């Protein structure tokens, strides 16, 4: 996910409020050795991680993907 973000291959529109909010709140655990994120307020980021692993990384030949999910 990090490399796709750095390569500008993941983009988010202004209406993607959940993911944009969670990126601002995302934090790393100080109590665990290594790069381990805190599992707090991360449902949209988990959705994005699942999308990247199952769709984007398995279809590297495609140049465009769209993802949309409704929150109730």
């Amino acid at each position: 996910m990090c490399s796709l973000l750095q390569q500008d291959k993941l983009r988010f529109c202004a209406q993607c409020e959940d993911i944009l909010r969670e990126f601002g709140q995302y934090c790393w655990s100080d109590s665990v050795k290594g790069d381990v994120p805190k599992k707090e307020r991360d449902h949209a980021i988990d959705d994005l991680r699942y999308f990247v692993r199952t769709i984007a990384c398995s279809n590297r030949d495609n140049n465009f993907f769209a993802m949309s999910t409704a929150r109730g």
Side-chain angles (χ1 to χ4, degrees):
M1 192 166 79
C2 182
S3 63
L4 292 177
L5 287 167
Q6 290 172 339
Q7 296 170 27
D8 197 30
K9 292 186 177 183
L10 288 175
R11 296 181 185 177
F12 308 96
C13 64
Q15 289 80 14
C16 297
E17 296 171 359
D18 290 335
I19 193 75
L20 296 174
R21 181 186 65 253
E22 287 184 16
F23 271 119
Q25 297 173 343
Y26 205 68
C27 58
W28 301 97
S29 177
D30 294 329
S31 62
V32 180
K33 197 171 194 174
D35 288 338
V36 178
K38 288 185 179 180
K39 294 300 293 172
E40 301 172 350
R41 300 177 299 272
D42 64 348
H43 297 297
I45 289 179
D46 283 344
D47 292 344
L48 177 61
R49 188 177 299 112
Y50 178 78
F51 168 78
V52 167
R53 294 289 277 177
T54 60
I55 306 298
C57 288
S58 64
N59 295 292
R60 293 179 188 262
D61 294 336
N62 292 333
N63 293 322
F64 177 80
F65 295 99
M67 177 181 165
S68 175
T69 184
R71 296 261 175 214

